[in-house]
Structures are given as structure tokens and as C-alpha cells.
Amino acid sequence: MKLSFRKKDNPKRHLLIPEADQSRGEDQRFEQSILLEAAEHASEKKSIEDLKADLQTAMDLELSTIPPYLSALYSIKEGTNLESVEIIKSVVIEEMLHMVMVANLLNAVGGTPSIGTFTPNYPSQLPGNVMPQLIVPLAPFSIDSIRTFEKIEHPEGALQFLSEKDKELARNSADPSFTGIGEFYKAIKDTLIKLEKEAQNKGESIFTPNRNQVSDEQYYGSGGKIITVNNLTDAIQLIDEIVGQGEGTLGTIFSQEYDPKDDDYKLFGPDVEEYAHYFRFKEIRFGRFYAVTDSAHRDSPNKGLPTGQPFRVDWGAMYNFRPNPKLSDYDKGSAVYEKSLEFSKTYTALLKNINLACNGQPDQLIKGVTLMYDLKYKAMELMKIPLDDGRYTAGPCFEIVDCD
């Protein structure tokens, strides 16, 4: 079965509202206060250098999701879970697209993207103080992994996953965290608008048109249309696209009362082919596609859950690699160490390739196609090597190494 998640310029995708149990009363007021703190933080006086730093963090944030998604994807045994493979693959392609688009935005405001000098030490928090209570591991394909991916992409952030202790820490924090990736991007969007308005009042602009932009001509992925940035309108469209593909909503996190007559809640119709990442992962967890009559709203007849065509999810058809593999786990000179090192060299080379493309050499991106295939095969080769404990196999180490 050929699956299609791509539909360009799809405004409805940005309106998705989650089904998850939402906090009420005291918890709801607390969540609102968190958002207000984030908005106040974003509206503080920020310089163009602060904006550049935030955009670099956004690139690191996008990058940090790729190794966990790839680890789960590569662990699925060949010929199994075909629908799940296509779904995860489509998300990875879009995360890479997002990283390149943020680089376009960073270049447009005079920054210099840096890709290939940072990678999280998994298990890890997300960069940017986004959902600091969420710890993301590198782990095989499992229902727990998919639940973690849902938390990463959740439209309402992750307040519902906070313990009472974490909520108290958040209340007393001098550096307010973001309850989701969308809120992090909203802060960047607010800063962009503020700084550009200040510049225009002086007859200037913070944007430099056509500066080191990667366009559709160079980008080899198929995860949607890449956006180049020349002005504020382009920048806002880019941020809305990133959040729309990931979380599916931008702005208020509160679900309004369900109204079947409101077009905002008639979301999974025949004209919507591309769902946000959160909902694609939910399809895997429930082993069903969303039907055209389904709604994302938790109070809808389908409770926000997929009720369409079922597909088989075989949670046991995976290589059970030891979570969070590291080069230091293996003896230098051993066969598994050398194969792990070769994987990390390929990963490093891929990031450096993207870095060159985002710093004035966009034609370099075509070389990334071969590197992505190499990465997959080297990961799967590792995951076929049993470890001495008899329970786990080796796994891919997403580390930055010297690959010259």
C-alpha cells in the first residue's frame, strides 16, 4: 500500500486539536500561567543576537528528534510493519526539512547556521528548555517509543505529563520553560515581529534577501515544500509550516467546546492528506488510519482517536538493541566498536554535508542521499550483532566523531 502524507499549502493541517486528557480547573489555570510567562519572556527586549541564538537552538531542537525517530525506524525488521515504517520515515524527512528551513531563517537575519557540532547525549532533555520534564531515549520500536514521540509532538505541550513536584518547580522557576515545541516557536515568532517592526521604524529591515537559501531545487526530501526567507511574511509562513507539520496547532493550547458545525473540527476530510506528526504517531499506536469522518477533538464522537482502516503493527518484529548505545560501551578495536564508529562517522558526515548546504553550498545536499542510505544499512548491520548478555543487540551511536 502506498501512503501519502504530502499535501502542500494545506491550511487545515494547522488547526488540529488534540484528544488527550486535558487539565481542568486549577491545572488549566496553571497551564495558562505558564503560557503567559512564556509570552512575557518572548516580549522582553531581545537583540538580533538573541534571535540568532534562539534560531540556532531551534535547529538543535529539530536535530535532537531525528536520532530517536531513526533508531526506532531502523530497528524494525525488514519486510514488517510497512505502514509504520512509512509513517516514521515521513516524519523524519519533515524534521530534516524543518532543520534546513530554520537555517534559511537564520541566514536571512544574518546568522551562521552550525550543524554537526552538537548532538544530544541520550537519554536527553530537549534543547531550548522545552518540556524539561521529558527525557528522550534512543530505543527500539515499541509502544513506549511511540508514546514518547507523541509527547514530543503533542500540540498542547506536555503539562499533562508533569508530576506535582515538577509543576511546583515550574511555578518557582526564574527561567520559564516552554510547554511544547509550538510555544518555543511562538516566542521566536514574537521576537521576529518585534525586531522587524523596530527596524522598519528606522527605515531598515532585519532580513537580507536571498542570503544562503536552500530551495526546492536542492532539497532532496519529499516532506513538503521548503520555504526560503526574504522578509517577515516568509518567516512567519515558515514557522507556521514547521509547527503545523509537527504539532498541528499554533497559538492557544485550549481546546474549545466541540462544535460539529465548526469547520475547525472537521479536520480529517477527503481534502486533508497530511496530518501533523502527533496524529501520525497516534495512528501507529492504535494500528488504524484516521477516517475522513474522524475529528482530532477529544470530545468528538471518535474521541480524537483513529477509526479508519486498520493495519498490522507487530511490536515484536524489531531488533532489540540496548537503549542509548554509546561508543564507550564497546572495547576499542573490537568488531562492534569499529562498526559503531563507522556509523557515527557516516552520521557526522551527513550533518557536515547539511551544514555546507546551509552555509552557501546548497548543491552539496544531493550527496546526503547516499549518506542516508549508508546510515540505514550500517545501523541495521549493528542491530544484528548480539551482545554478550544474550538479551540485547548492538545499536547505532549517534555521536559526533572525526570523520576526515
Side-chain angles (χ1 to χ4, degrees):
M1 175 185 292
K2 182 175 177 58
L3 306 179
S4 174
F5 298 98
R6 184 181 183 190
K7 188 176 181 65
K8 297 181 181 180
D9 303 322
N10 174 13
K12 282 195 173 184
R13 184 189 59 231
H14 304 285
L15 300 175
L16 301 181
I17 297 174
E19 55 75 33
D21 290 338
Q22 189 172 326
S23 50
R24 303 283 185 177
E26 176 65 27
D27 281 349
Q28 191 175 54
R29 288 190 291 274
F30 166 66
E31 188 158 355
Q32 185 176 37
S33 72
I34 291 292
L35 292 180
L36 290 174
E37 288 175 12
E40 291 169 0
H41 181 69
S43 65
E44 292 174 358
K45 180 68 175 178
K46 281 201 169 189
S47 69
I48 191 69
E49 294 305 316
D50 294 327
L51 173 62
K52 292 175 186 178
D54 288 344
L55 289 171
Q56 179 61 52
T57 300
M59 292 177 59
D60 295 340
L61 179 58
E62 298 294 345
L63 174 62
S64 69
T65 67
I66 294 174
Y69 296 166
L70 284 180
S71 294
L73 175 64
Y74 293 157
S75 73
I76 297 174
K77 291 186 176 180
E78 303 94 319
T80 70
N81 292 306
L82 300 182
E83 294 85 357
S84 298
V85 166
E86 287 297 315
I87 290 172
I88 300 174
K89 188 188 302 181
S90 73
V91 172
V92 170
I93 289 172
E94 287 183 356
E95 296 294 358
M96 296 185 71
L97 173 74
H98 297 169
M99 186 166 61
V100 173
M101 289 203 299
V102 175
N104 277 350
L105 178 50
L106 180 53
N107 275 314
V109 297
T112 302
S114 177
I115 303 169
T117 58
F118 162 83
T119 193
N121 180 22
Y122 298 98
S124 173
Q125 295 173 310
L126 295 174
N129 211 21
V130 174
M131 295 181 283
Q133 74 283 355
L134 178 62
I135 304 300
V136 181
L138 300 181
F141 178 71
S142 69
I143 197 165
D144 287 338
S145 293
I146 296 301
R147 285 304 302 265
T148 296
F149 300 164
E150 287 181 47
K151 292 176 184 179
I152 292 172
E153 305 285 358
H154 198 287
E156 297 186 35
L159 184 74
Q160 63 272 28
F161 306 117
L162 262 66
S163 66
E164 290 303 318
K165 180 180 178 181
D166 287 333
K167 288 180 182 180
E168 186 62 29
L169 288 173
R171 286 189 183 95
N172 299 325
S173 174
D175 183 17
S177 59
F178 297 98
T179 61
I181 293 174
E183 279 303 309
F184 176 79
Y185 273 108
K186 183 181 184 300
I188 290 177
K189 184 176 178 179
D190 291 343
T191 302
L192 280 163
I193 294 170
K194 181 180 179 64
L195 291 177
E196 178 63 2
K197 182 179 179 180
E198 293 173 351
Q200 288 184 357
N201 287 339
K202 300 176 183 177
E204 302 171 353
S205 175
I206 65 173
F207 297 96
T208 301
N210 303 313
R211 183 176 185 270
N212 291 345
Q213 298 293 292
V214 177
S215 68
D216 275 341
E217 294 180 1
Q218 295 95 21
Y219 187 72
Y220 55 83
S222 58
K225 181 180 180 181
I226 196 166
I227 296 173
T228 55
V229 181
N230 296 297
N231 50 49
L232 181 60
T233 300
D234 294 339
I236 291 174
Q237 181 188 1
L238 181 147
I239 290 176
D240 289 350
E241 178 74 6
I242 289 175
V243 178
Q245 285 187 339
E247 297 189 351
T249 184
L250 181 62
T252 177
I253 61 168
F254 295 116
S255 300
Q256 302 170 20
E257 293 299 320
Y258 178 70
D259 181 0
K261 297 179 181 179
D262 188 337
D263 284 341
D264 285 2
Y265 298 106
K266 297 177 181 177
L267 303 174
F268 298 122
D271 60 334
V272 179
E273 295 179 7
E274 184 184 71
Y275 305 147
H277 298 173
Y278 171 76
F279 298 96
R280 295 186 221 175
F281 287 134
K282 192 171 288 295
E283 287 181 321
I284 295 177
R285 183 157 63 92
F286 286 92
R288 283 183 179 273
F289 294 112
Y290 277 98
V292 297
T293 55
D294 284 343
S295 168
H297 198 286
R298 71 180 189 280
D299 293 332
S300 65
N302 63 290
K303 304 301 181 185
L305 304 179
T307 67
Q309 180 182 351
F311 58 87
R312 176 172 169 74
V313 180
D314 185 352
W315 299 108
M318 54 79 179
Y319 296 104
N320 189 33
F321 71 86
R322 180 184 290 160
N324 308 306
K326 294 176 174 58
L327 279 168
S328 59
D329 292 340
Y330 312 119
D331 295 330
K332 285 188 176 182
S334 65
V336 66
Y337 177 87
E338 293 301 323
K339 289 183 183 297
S340 298
L341 180 61
E342 285 303 310
F343 175 88
S344 289
K345 285 183 176 180
T346 303
Y347 177 61
T348 304
L350 175 63
L351 296 185
K352 288 188 173 183
N353 168 260
I354 299 173
N355 188 64
L356 288 174
C358 294
N359 283 280
Q361 301 180 51
D363 291 337
Q364 289 287 323
L365 269 184
I366 191 64
K367 296 181 180 179
V369 177
T370 300
L371 290 169
M372 281 297 295
Y373 279 109
D374 286 347
L375 203 67
K376 173 184 176 181
Y377 295 131
K378 288 177 179 177
M380 295 181 73
E381 187 177 9
L382 271 168
M383 288 188 282
K384 293 178 181 178
I385 301 176
L387 298 180
D388 292 340
D389 60 14
R391 178 182 178 187
Y392 295 109
T393 70
C397 307
F398 287 85
E399 299 180 24
I400 304 297
V401 298
D402 185 0
C403 61
D404 294 330

